[in-house]
Amino acid sequence: MSRAVVIGVGNEYRHDDGVGLAVLAELDAHPIPGVVTALCDGEPAALLEAWTGAEIAIVVDAVLCEPSTPGRLWRSTVDSLLPGGGSASSHALGIPDAVRLGAALGRVPGELVVYAVEAADLGLGVGLTPAVQAAVPEVVRAVRSELGR
């Protein structure tokens, strides 16, 4: 069992959908003892695999909002993800779906925190938009702070 896992969800070939990967790259540049990082495409089975056995799992993903404030950071916990509602993820199935499936299978980490970054562009192409790129250090600080509690 790992103490913690940070899961970056996304696709680097869909602009801001790569924010999770950018956060992982920053964390991997200065590893935290007892913390593993994992890249995930956002499918519920892959999320379950990545967070199974962790005391705490932190998921970083891009989200679509209307209206959007690109780069704005949202923090959620498993309690706010479980009741009703659909996915806020940029993927067909999202984190709430994985949480519901994990709860049914007994595969939810001890603590689950989601950091969602509002996206500006999820179209095909590489590179984050300036607002989302500017949010990466804030997300990294938030993740490190969460892990330091």
Side-chain angles (χ1 to χ4, degrees):
M1 175 186 272
S2 66
R3 180 179 81 78
V5 62
V6 179
I7 304 166
V9 176
N11 181 339
E12 67 183 315
Y13 299 108
R14 288 184 50 218
H15 289 294
D16 290 341
D17 196 40
V19 70
L21 289 73
V23 169
L24 291 185
E26 291 292 321
L27 292 171
D28 288 341
H30 304 283
I32 305 165
V35 177
V36 297
T37 59
L39 173 60
C40 181
D41 62 6
E43 292 304 313
L47 283 165
L48 288 179
E49 185 64 31
W51 71 40
T52 294
E55 293 173 22
I56 179 172
I58 299 174
V59 179
V60 179
D61 196 8
V63 292
L64 295 172
C65 296
E66 283 296 325
S68 179
T69 304
R72 181 169 39 186
L73 180 62
W74 294 90
R75 181 189 182 277
S76 300
T77 63
V78 69
D79 296 329
S80 64
L81 295 172
L82 272 175
S87 171
S89 171
S90 61
H91 312 282
L93 294 173
I95 297 164
D97 302 298
V99 170
R100 285 189 282 276
L101 179 60
L105 298 174
R107 291 181 64 187
V108 177
E111 184 177 356
L112 174 63
V113 177
V114 176
Y115 283 102
V117 181
E118 288 189 33
D121 183 358
L122 297 175
L124 295 176
V126 295
L128 303 175
T129 60
V132 172
Q133 181 65 52
V136 170
E138 178 186 359
V139 179
V140 170
R141 279 191 300 276
V143 168
R144 286 184 177 279
S145 176
E146 198 80 49
L147 293 168
R149 290 189 287 111

